[in-house]
């Protein structure tokens, strides 16, 4: 394996571990919502809307909206 390939592999492992830790902390701190798993958040949003419980739908909806906005901004 080339030195550059090892560096890229190490960097990708470090970034993956960091993203996993951030997602785990966000999951615990936001009441079981995800920082990067938008299908889980959109499911929680849909459940809140289906039950007409807007307080349960607000945070997941906001997280999905922020994720979409950040994606457009980053693009």
């Amino acid at each position: 394996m080339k030195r550059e390939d090892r560096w890229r592999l190490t960097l990708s492992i470090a970034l993956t571990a960091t993203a996993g830790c951030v997602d785990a902390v966000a999951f615990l701190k936001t009441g079981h919502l995800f920082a990067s798993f938008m299908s889980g958040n959109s499911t929680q949003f849909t459940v809140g809307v289906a039950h007409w419980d807007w307080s349960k739908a607000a945070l997941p909806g906001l997280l999905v909206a922020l994720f979409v906005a950040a994606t457009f901004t980053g693009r």
Side-chain angles (χ1 to χ4, degrees), residues 5 9 12 24-25 27 29 34-35 37 39 56 58 63-65 69-70 73:
D5 291 339
L9 179 62
S12 64
V25 169
F27 181 79
K29 293 292 185 181
F34 299 93
F37 186 57
S39 61
K56 286 188 178 179
L63 288 172
V64 171
T73 303

Side-chain angles (χ1 to χ4, degrees), residues 5-22:
D5 291 339
R6 282 189 207 149
W7 184 85
R8 287 182 181 189
L9 179 62
T10 302
L11 179 62
S12 64
I13 290 171
L15 290 174
T16 301
T18 302
C21 289
V22 167

Side-chain angles (χ1 to χ4, degrees), residues 23-35 40-41 44 59-60 63:
D23 206 26
V25 169
F27 181 79
L28 294 173
K29 293 292 185 181
T30 61
H32 299 114
L33 296 170
F34 299 93
N41 292 340
Q44 293 297 326
L59 185 56
L63 288 172

Side-chain angles (χ1 to χ4, degrees), residues 47-71:
V47 168
V49 170
H51 288 123
W52 294 90
D53 190 351
W54 301 110
S55 64
K56 286 188 178 179
L59 185 56
L62 177 64
L63 288 172
V64 171
L66 288 173
F67 183 83
V68 171
T71 302

